[in-house]
């Protein structure tokens, strides 16, 4: 009799425990989240995500520790200082791919989230192709909140029309269009500080060498010393000649503003620029137009913002509550239409997204997908920073041969090229 009631009691306990695991209790206290979303569009997207978190966890206070500076240039330096002082926030923004696996996981700084994936059924709704980029040895290390496209050419439709310039699709077309615009006194291509030139370089590299060689360069199966890379650097240098002279002093959004104002015709930027254009009151195809960056039609150069659970997070339960919202359908449907990205989840309602974002969804599903360098997919921090140093030198001395030689060395130092 006693034994029966013990078994019954254990069964009830098991049911209760299972219920606790699936229906997460609203969390309380505070959760400090670290990102670099401070510009128009990206900050608004974050605010929308926070709103969903607030409504699901009314007693949880979101501490927004965003540090300004696109692509995380400043934020990631601040984060590194905090991590070396054993002072992690509760969660931080990290890119899927080598930034995550080859940097934070390699340094033992973040925790596996397999239980969270299990309890939320995320393996059924996150793209199968994304999971390997956030996993190592069967452990999944982050919660992707979106998919961004890096290789987008944004333009001011009025500026193109008034100069009788068609939207270019090849690099040669782009250079011809840029000549016409420059002769008319319009800056052809708006660019900003150094990371935006790395962003430009990766799209020109892809547009020059194509997807197979581009992937091979990051996998050690294509030749950084070869003629295709030489050609890419040459194309890059020609295109740089059509950028604004104050580029190094502008943030990515200030460069996008030149296009809004009609002072520049184009900018090549990830689709967070779409969030910026919309935050500035423009609508797709009226205030701004888009096309794949020159030479990259049919290719989707992607990146994904994701959030992590640090080792030693001060408020792990609150962090888990935030991550749960970041991975949820309601969280992603609130965040992405404003951010200028599409959901990482595959079950968001397309009707919530505008014309540009619906086109991005179609392309994400049908194009050849490759990863971004500047935004953490294809190279870890060490490799990327070596490329960044070489790029900085190239921007000041214009020595193409030295730049290419440094790219060769960076690949071999990374252990990828023999
Ligand atoms: C990227 C990030 C985007 C956007 C952009 C500009 O690295 O993935 O979400 O924030 O920087 O800040």
């Amino acid at each position: 009799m006693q034994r029966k009631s013990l078994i019954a009691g254990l069964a009830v306990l098991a049911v209760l425990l299972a219920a606790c695991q699936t229906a997460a209790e609203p969390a309380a206290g505070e959760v400090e989240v670290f990102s670099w979303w401070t510009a128009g569009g990206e900050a608004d997207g974050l605010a929308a995500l926070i709103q969903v978190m607030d409504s699901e966890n009314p007693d949880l206070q979101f501490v927004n520790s965003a540090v300004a500076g696109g692509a995380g240039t400043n934020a990631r330096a601040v984060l590194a200082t905090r991590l070396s002082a054993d002072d992690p926030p509760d969660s931080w923004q990290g890119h899927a791919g080598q930034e995550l696996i080859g940097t934070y996981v390699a340094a033992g700084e973040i925790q596996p989230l397999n239980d969270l994936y299990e309890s939320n059924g995320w393996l059924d709704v996150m793209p199968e192709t994304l999971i390997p980029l956030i996993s190592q040895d069967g452990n999944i290390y982050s919660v992707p909140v979106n998919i961004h496209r890096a290789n987008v050419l944004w333009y001011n439709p009025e500026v193109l029309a008034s100069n009788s310039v068609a939207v270019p699709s090849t690099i040669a077309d782009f250079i011809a269009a840029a000549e016409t615009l420059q002769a008319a006194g319009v800056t052809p291509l708006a660019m900003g500080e150094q990371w935006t030139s790395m962003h430009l370089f990766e799209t020109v590299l892809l547009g020059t060498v194509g997807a197979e060689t581009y992937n091979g360069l990051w996998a050690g199966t294509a030749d950084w010393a070869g003629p295709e890379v030489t050609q890419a650097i040459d194309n890059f240098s020609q295109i740089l000649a059509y950028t604004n002279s104050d580029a190094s002093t502008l943030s990515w959004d200030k460069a996008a503003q030149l296009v809004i104002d009609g002072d520049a015709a184009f900018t090549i930027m990830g689709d967070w620029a779409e969030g910026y254009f919309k935050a500035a009151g423009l609508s797709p195809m009226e205030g701004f137009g888009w096309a794949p960056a020159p030479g990259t039609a049919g290719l989707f150069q992607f990146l994904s913002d994701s959030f992590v659970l640090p080792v030693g997070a001060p408020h792990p339960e609150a962090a888990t509550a935030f991550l749960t919202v970041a991975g949820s359908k309601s969280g992603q449907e609130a965040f992405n239409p404003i951010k200028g990205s599409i959901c990482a989840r595959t079950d968001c309602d397309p009707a919530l997204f505008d014309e540009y974002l619906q086109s991005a969804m179609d392309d994400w599903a049908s194009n050849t997908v490759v990863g971004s360098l500047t935004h953490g997919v294809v190279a870890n921090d060490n490799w990327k920073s070596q490329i960044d140093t070489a790029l900085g030198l190239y921007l000041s001395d214009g020595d193409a041969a030295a730049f290419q030689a440094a790219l060769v060395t960076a690949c071999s130092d990374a252990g990828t090229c023999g």
Side-chain angles (χ1 to χ4, degrees), residues 338-393:
I338 300 174
K339 177 69 165 67
S341 40
I342 59 176
C343 292
R345 291 179 68 110
T346 51
D347 59 351
C348 287
D349 179 1
L352 297 170
F353 292 79
D354 65 28
E355 204 182 336
Y356 165 72
L357 290 169
Q358 289 187 3
S359 80
M361 283 176 201
D362 291 346
D363 290 351
W364 168 244
S366 61
N367 281 192
T368 300
V369 174
V370 303
S372 164
L373 160 67
T374 315
H375 309 281
V377 183
V378 291
N380 68 10
D381 276 14
N382 288 339
W383 190 357
K384 180 176 137 182
S385 96
Q386 220 167 315
I387 295 175
D388 193 41
T389 305
L391 175 64
L393 279 175

Side-chain angles (χ1 to χ4, degrees), residues 201 205-206 209-226 228-229 232 378-379 383 387 404 407-408 410-412 416-417:
F201 177 64
L205 181 64
L206 177 64
V209 307
E212 205 183 319
T213 301
Y214 179 85
N215 285 336
L217 290 170
W218 305 113
T221 55
D223 187 7
W224 282 99
E228 289 172 287
V229 174
V378 291
W383 190 357
I387 295 175
Q404 186 165 4
L407 293 174
V408 173
C411 185
S412 68
T416 300
C417 299

